[in-house]
Amino acid sequence: MHMAFFLLLGASLARFLLRHPGEARTPWIIALSIALALLYVLGPVLGPALGPAAPGAARPAPRRLVWLSAVVAVWMVLVVLAPSFAWCAVPLFYTGLRTLPPRAALALVTLLTVFVVTAQLQLAGGGFDPNLLLAPPAVAAVATAVFLYMQRQDARQRTLIDDLIRTRRELAATERREGTLAERQRLSMEIHDTLAQGLSSQQMLLQAADRTWSTDPDTARRHVRTAESIAERNLAEARRFVHDLAPADLAEGGGLEEALRRLAGRESAAFRVDGASVALPDRVQSALLRIAQGALANVREHAGAQAAALTLTYLGDQVVLDIADDGRGFAPDRGAPDGGVRGHGLPAMRARVQQLGGTLTIESAPGEGTVLSAAIPLEHTP
């Protein structure tokens, strides 16, 4: 629109100079054309103070009104002196519509249109031409309609952008809340499978040591040493939580198989690997190790088993960890094998496996031992 204004201004000046050379008003026409061009340039150069009115503003800034009044006034003088400058009104339509409130802008457009019609009739030399009378109002109406349509589209676009930004913020807040809840659940499972189980074992061992301290000191000392070993492992786990929440056994190196082998050794359980070993994602290794820790803790505290065994099986598209014991067994849908109320152990294991798209299976019956099987697919594991 700025380019159109300067093009029309230059064409009008050239037309006047070609058709009216050497007239007394020529210096005034040239001076006013230069002044109008400088005034028009001044608006965008001065920035927002003279730019479009803010959306929803009741009235434009005073400096903006002064600038627009000066531009319109100089243009009107030019039109009176040289009617050929009338078509510069089209860019001025948009300038007024962008600067003034709707009613004031429409009044300005009407005034400019009257000047254009008058100028065109003067150029016609007194003859009546319906086109000269109807064309300027039609152009003004089209320009106003286009501007109002663009303004409505801009308002809709701003509303849509605001809605999208608000929706994105709400979604981000929801994701943060869900992430926080998931992290809390994960930490609760980590603590249950390590520190809580270890503290429970220490309590049982120390209570057993206290009962046998007088009658069987050797056994009591053995219980104390075992509790000390468990406390040492728990301390390592606690430090690992602070560091990066990775299982301490995995941090010692050797991968999942070595970690399970060390765990089985501490718990006096058998361990074997079936199938060709493959590299497992860190999340899978951590989850399987935590499941093994929780399952063996349950065996130690509840099953009264004589033997337990860990089996890690690679089946190509999935990895399976089985924990079996020959203890008293239980009905999986009824509670703990010692008649107590089952806590967070099995739900935590099931949640770990489900997060990785796997399944947890428990086969047990009273007096027949227990087999817990965790199967995790490898193809779609994140």
Side-chain angles (χ1 to χ4, degrees), residues 95-306:
T95 301
L97 290 169
R98 293 176 64 245
T99 304
L100 298 174
R103 291 185 179 179
L106 292 177
L108 178 61
V109 170
T110 301
L111 177 63
L112 297 179
T113 303
V114 171
F115 261 77
V116 172
V117 171
T118 302
Q120 293 300 311
L121 292 177
Q122 290 180 0
L123 288 176
F128 178 76
D129 187 347
N131 288 333
L132 298 180
L133 185 63
L134 299 178
V139 172
V142 170
T144 303
V146 169
F147 176 83
L148 294 177
Y149 174 79
M150 292 172 59
Q151 196 175 45
R152 284 196 296 269
Q153 290 296 105
D154 183 60
R156 292 174 183 173
Q157 187 177 27
R158 285 198 301 269
T159 301
L160 178 61
I161 291 174
D162 292 340
D163 290 341
L164 290 175
I165 292 175
R166 183 172 59 256
T167 302
R168 186 174 62 181
R169 289 174 179 171
E170 292 174 354
L171 180 60
T174 301
E175 291 177 346
R176 284 195 296 270
R177 287 194 297 270
E178 292 178 350
T180 300
L181 292 176
E183 183 65 11
R184 287 177 179 175
Q185 182 183 17
R186 189 179 72 84
L187 288 176
S188 68
M189 293 188 298
E190 294 281 350
I191 293 172
H192 175 271
D193 291 344
T194 54
L195 301 181
Q197 296 284 10
L199 291 172
S200 177
S201 298
Q202 292 174 55
Q203 182 184 28
M204 294 174 59
L205 289 167
L206 293 175
Q207 289 174 348
D210 182 64
R211 289 193 301 267
T212 60
W213 192 264
S214 300
T215 59
D216 192 353
D218 292 338
T219 301
R221 292 189 185 92
R222 187 166 60 252
H223 289 331
V224 171
R225 286 193 294 271
T226 305
E228 181 184 6
S229 176
I230 294 174
E232 182 180 357
R233 298 299 308 175
N234 279 0
L235 180 60
E237 289 286 356
R239 289 172 176 169
R240 182 56 55 183
F241 283 147
V242 175
H243 183 261
D244 60 1
L245 296 180
D249 283 315
L250 287 176
E252 293 178 5
L256 177 62
E257 295 179 15
E258 287 300 320
L260 291 175
R261 186 172 285 107
R262 286 191 290 266
L263 174 63
R266 292 195 302 270
E267 297 291 343
S268 300
F271 174 71
R272 78 170 190 269
V273 178
D274 292 336
S277 300
V278 297
L280 299 176
D282 292 341
R283 291 186 62 190
V284 174
Q285 295 188 57
S286 178
L288 291 178
L289 180 57
R290 294 305 191 200
I291 290 171
Q293 290 173 336
L296 289 178
N298 285 340
V299 171
R300 181 176 62 248
E301 296 176 16
H302 303 296
Q306 298 297 319

Side-chain angles (χ1 to χ4, degrees), residues 1-19 29-30 32-38 40-41 75 78 82 84-89 91:
M1 194 57 60
H2 296 325
M3 293 177 61
F5 174 81
F6 288 110
L7 180 62
L8 291 172
L9 181 63
S12 299
L13 179 60
R15 182 181 186 279
F16 176 83
L17 294 177
L18 290 174
R19 297 202 175 185
I29 297 297
I30 296 174
L32 288 172
S33 298
I34 295 174
L36 181 59
L38 292 176
Y40 194 88
V41 169
W75 173 80
L78 269 175
S84 59
F85 285 87
W87 286 109
C88 293

Side-chain angles (χ1 to χ4, degrees), residues 76-92:
M76 286 181 175
V77 174
L78 269 175
V79 172
V80 171
L81 296 177
S84 59
F85 285 87
W87 286 109
C88 293
V90 176
L92 295 181

